[in-house]
């Protein structure tokens, strides 16, 4: 097998080629490391260590030679730099943690390593996962392979860019308010945020503890299923928010069509009987004429509508539903998340670990200078907001009210799932914007999260699936699918059925 073919393979194809001795993990790892160096201008990687990666690859080859087989054995992947790792530095995209080395691996990293996955390196992200464009990274922005002048989305922008540019077949990311789905949509790849608590948060640098959740990004739903199978599962001893729910083999479940056993289901219509709800607040669907409100671009409307029609052709039925508190998700999220960030980031004070100012007068001055020097503008903004809404006299007026709205948003979803099996709509109102375009208008970036925030506040599983390229922009558009609690398998089955019938997920940027 020629080396140039290796980066075109997805997880399953590459794992099979390695198992069949058509190539080796060492060869695949060396090839992908060379591609990472070749495309350094994307700014996607923050840390690589060829010696470490190749040592892991050789260990995987030895396991294969001994007759061992797992779906990820020998497959090179990369991790968002929000997961702590022993063999690579962890920065969370911040000067505060520049050069930090963890004494242990995050649970997600450890579980993937146990399955034989090889770590290529750590990936760029918005500082402490706070951002929608990956341009808040202290080490420079990651760039969208479809147009390097544009953002890849955030905060898992480096993760999505690496998959889109064929620098790795799959990666890890985290999603607090859409940070897997939005970059996946902007870069034309597949990403899934599982139910809150499905993947352990142990070793994941905290932003907003009641919202943060790990998940995979890959080219296809099938490859996401393989990674999620390894990543998910209880970790109660180390993460008190971990769900005590047994791990599932999502890859095996893809072999069963969603409609199998249902009346009328067939190979041509595997989604027969599936009820898909289209929220009026996201996209109206009546008389085969989709309409959206003015904030949604024409490219997004057309591509999402085309994907919905394809789901109909596969046997699904579309019905209008209501999520009436969609608009309220933005103020609720941007009170709750900064409040939790203010608490979580208080540990970075220059005393125990992290950046410490070189010159200071006393302890208080050290605190002030260390935090001011090392935290970026967006992180400081959110700390200030969070501290304010948690302060005496404002807690009840802001934070408590936001949590009450969060409960109402979750109730809206409960009512919606009484009428449908899953919910579909846009991932974002627009395609990727230009780097720096929203630098002076952070609120505009916050508003771009309007379709991803509701499911995050409710803790629901959701994913982004490629829906093709915009006719005007030529840039990727993502279809968002939202399921009920612990329905990751159903989401992946529906996405897989869509990808079996279309080729949107196979498109690659020019030059990659």
């Amino acid at each position: 097998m020629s080396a140039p073919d290796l980066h075109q393979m997805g997880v399953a194809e590459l794992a099979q080629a390695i198992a069949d001795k058509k190539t080796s993990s060492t060869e695949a790892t060396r090839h992908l490391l060379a591609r990472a160096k070749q495309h350094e201008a994307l700014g996607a990687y923050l840390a690589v260590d060829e010696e470490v990666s190749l040592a892991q690859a050789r260990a995987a080859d030895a396991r294969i030679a001994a007759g061992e087989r797992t779906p990820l054995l020998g497959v090179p992947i990369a991790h968002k730099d929000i997961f702590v790792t022993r063999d690579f530095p962890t920065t969370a995209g911040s000067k505060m943690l520049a050069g930090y080395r963890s004494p242990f691996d995050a649970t997600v990293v450890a579980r993937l390593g146990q399955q034989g996955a090889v770590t290529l390196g750590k990936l760029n992200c918005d500082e402490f996962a706070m951002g929608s464009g990956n341009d808040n990274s202290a080490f420079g922005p990651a760039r969208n392979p479809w147009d390097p002048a544009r953002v890849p989305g955030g905060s898992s922008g480096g993760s999505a860019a690496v998959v889109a540019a064929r620098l790795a077949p799959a990666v890890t990311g985290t999603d607090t308010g859409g940070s897997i789905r939005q970059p996946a949509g902007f870069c034309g790849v597949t990403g899934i945020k599982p139910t809150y608590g499905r993947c352990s948060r142990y070793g994941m640098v905290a932003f907003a503890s009641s919202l943060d959740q790990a998940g995979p990004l890959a080219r296809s739903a099938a490859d996401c299923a393989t990674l999620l199978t390894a990543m998910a599962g209880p970790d109660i001893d180390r993460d008190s928010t971990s769900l005590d729910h047994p791990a599932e083999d999502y890859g095996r479940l893809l072999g069963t069509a969603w409609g199998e056993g249902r009346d009328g289901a067939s190979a041509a219509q595997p989604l027969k009987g599936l009820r898909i709800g289209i929220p009026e607040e996201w996209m109206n669907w009546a008389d085969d004429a989709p309409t959206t409100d003015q904030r949604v671009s024409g490219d997004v409307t057309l591509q999402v509508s085309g994907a919905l029609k394809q789901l109909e052709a596969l046997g699904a039925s579309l019905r209008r539903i209501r999520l009436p508190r969609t608009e309220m998700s933005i103020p609720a999220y941007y009170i709750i998340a900064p409040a939790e960030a203010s608490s979580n980031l208080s540990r970075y004070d220059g005393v125990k670990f992290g950046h410490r100012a070189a010159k200071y007068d006393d302890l208080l001055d050290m605190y002030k200078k260390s935090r001011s020097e090392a935290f970026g503008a967006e992180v400081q903004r959110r700390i200030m907001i969070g501290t304010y809404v948690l302060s005496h006299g404002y807690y009840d007026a802001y934070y408590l009210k936001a949590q009450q709205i969060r409960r109402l948003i979750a109730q809206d979803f409960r009512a919606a799932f009484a009428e449908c099996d899953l919910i579909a709509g846009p991932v974002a109102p627009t395609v990727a914007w230009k780097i720096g375009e929203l630098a002076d208008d952070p609120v505009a970036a916050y508003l771009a999260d309007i379709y991803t925030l509701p499911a995050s506040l409710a803790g629901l599983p959701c994913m982004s699936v490629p829906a093709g390229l915009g006719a005007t922009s030529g840039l990727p558009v993502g279809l968002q699918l939202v399921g009920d609690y612990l329905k990751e398998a159903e989401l992946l089955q529906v996405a897989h059925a869509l990808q079996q019938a279309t080729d949107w997920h196979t498109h690659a940027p020019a030059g990659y």
Side-chain angles (χ1 to χ4, degrees):
M1 178 173 294
S2 63
D5 296 328
L6 295 175
H7 63 273
Q8 300 295 349
M9 295 182 177
V11 171
E13 188 180 3
L14 185 54
Q16 190 63 53
I18 293 171
D20 292 343
K21 309 292 178 65
K22 294 180 180 178
T23 187
S24 66
S25 178
T26 302
E27 182 181 12
T29 299
R30 186 174 285 114
H31 175 70
L32 291 172
L33 286 170
R35 279 184 61 78
K37 188 172 183 178
Q38 178 186 356
H39 296 289
E40 282 180 334
L42 279 178
Y45 276 97
L46 291 182
V48 293
D49 189 322
E50 182 174 335
E51 184 177 338
V52 168
S53 298
L54 290 175
Q56 292 181 8
R58 286 191 289 270
D61 285 332
R63 289 169 64 177
I64 292 168
E68 187 176 344
R69 296 290 183 271
T70 76
L72 285 170
L73 186 52
V75 177
I77 64 172
H79 297 292
K80 182 177 180 179
D81 199 25
I82 210 82
F83 296 99
V84 300
T85 46
R86 286 180 300 177
D87 295 328
F88 296 86
T90 301
T91 69
S94 177
K95 291 180 181 178
M96 180 59 78
L97 287 173
Y100 171 71
R101 289 272 184 168
S102 169
F104 64 94
D105 284 331
T107 294
V108 163
V109 173
R111 286 179 172 172
L112 289 165
Q114 288 163 8
Q115 292 296 309
V118 174
T119 300
L120 292 168
K122 304 294 287 295
L123 302 172
N124 205 349
C125 59
D126 284 298
E127 185 177 7
F128 287 101
M130 298 182 194
S132 300
N134 211 142
D135 40 6
N136 289 331
S137 171
F139 306 105
R143 298 179 179 275
N144 193 321
W146 292 90
D147 180 353
R150 295 180 181 268
V151 301
S155 62
S156 306
S159 298
V162 158
V163 177
R166 304 322 194 233
L167 306 186
V171 298
T172 58
T174 62
D175 193 309
T176 305
S179 292
I180 286 175
R181 289 161 286 159
Q182 189 241 38
F186 280 5
C187 290
V189 302
T190 306
I192 181 168
K193 180 197 88 70
T195 303
Y196 178 77
R198 199 71 184 88
C199 293
S200 174
R201 291 189 303 109
Y202 180 74
M204 192 165 76
V205 179
F207 162 20
S209 301
S210 73
L211 294 158
D212 297 341
Q213 186 57 198
L217 296 93
R219 295 174 213 168
S220 69
D223 285 348
C224 280
T226 300
L227 260 71
L228 187 58
T229 297
M231 293 167 63
D235 192 26
I236 298 170
D237 291 342
R238 293 181 292 187
D239 175 10
S240 62
T241 63
S242 175
L243 294 175
D244 189 10
H245 188 80
E248 296 185 67
D249 186 345
Y250 295 108
R252 180 185 59 79
L253 291 171
L254 287 185
T256 304
W258 187 91
E260 187 168 307
R262 295 175 180 265
D263 291 342
S266 64
Q269 290 199 314
L271 303 183
K272 190 72 173 179
L274 176 68
R275 301 169 301 163
I276 298 179
I278 313 298
E280 291 184 15
E281 294 77 13
W282 299 6
M283 170 177 284
N284 287 329
W285 187 272
D287 301 322
D288 295 324
T291 60
T292 58
D293 62 35
Q294 293 181 351
R295 78 176 148 241
V296 182
S297 73
D299 270 1
V300 172
T301 298
L302 287 172
Q303 294 309 128
V304 170
S305 299
L308 292 173
K309 284 184 177 294
Q310 184 62 55
L311 290 171
E312 273 193 306
L314 293 171
S317 62
L318 306 181
R319 56 189 63 198
R320 294 170 63 176
I321 62 168
R322 295 295 311 280
L323 290 176
R325 296 179 179 87
T326 293
E327 295 278 357
M328 299 173 72
S329 65
I330 294 176
Y333 176 87
Y334 283 102
I335 289 173
I336 294 169
E340 296 184 8
S342 172
S343 177
N344 280 324
L345 271 61
S346 65
R347 71 193 68 179
Y348 303 109
D349 54 15
V351 176
K352 297 176 286 296
F353 63 95
H355 174 77
R356 178 184 292 183
K359 296 181 180 180
Y360 47 86
D361 297 327
D362 53 29
L363 184 63
L364 181 60
D365 191 45
M366 185 191 74
Y367 288 159
K368 290 179 179 179
K369 287 181 177 177
S370 297
R371 290 168 68 82
S372 296
E373 290 172 7
F375 285 140
E378 182 61 28
V379 173
Q380 292 188 37
R381 182 182 295 116
R382 298 197 192 193
I383 289 174
M384 292 293 289
I385 293 171
T387 303
Y388 178 79
V389 301
L390 291 177
S391 62
H392 180 69
Y394 297 101
Y395 178 91
D396 289 347
Y398 292 102
Y399 185 72
L400 183 59
K401 290 294 184 186
Q403 291 287 18
Q404 291 170 340
I405 291 170
R406 182 182 192 175
R407 173 58 59 189
L408 294 174
I409 290 170
Q411 290 174 0
D412 286 346
F413 278 106
R414 296 266 20 98
F417 283 123
E419 304 176 36
C420 62
D421 300 300
L422 63 81
I423 295 167
V427 170
T430 67
V431 295
W433 55 83
K434 291 185 177 180
I435 294 174
E437 185 177 340
L438 303 183
D440 298 326
D441 190 2
V443 175
Y446 299 168
L447 292 173
D449 297 335
I450 188 167
Y451 301 132
T452 56
L453 292 179
S456 291
L457 288 167
L460 293 165
C462 35
M463 64 186 301
S464 176
V465 183
L469 305 178
T472 302
S473 64
L475 296 171
V477 173
L479 170 73
Q480 181 174 204
L481 301 176
V482 182
D484 207 348
Y485 297 108
L486 297 172
K487 298 294 185 181
E488 291 84 4
E490 285 83 347
L491 282 178
L492 289 163
Q493 286 173 330
V494 172
H496 181 63
L498 179 64
Q499 292 180 341
Q500 293 289 97
T502 64
D503 66 353
W504 297 321
H505 64 293
T506 68
H507 295 173
Y512 295 97

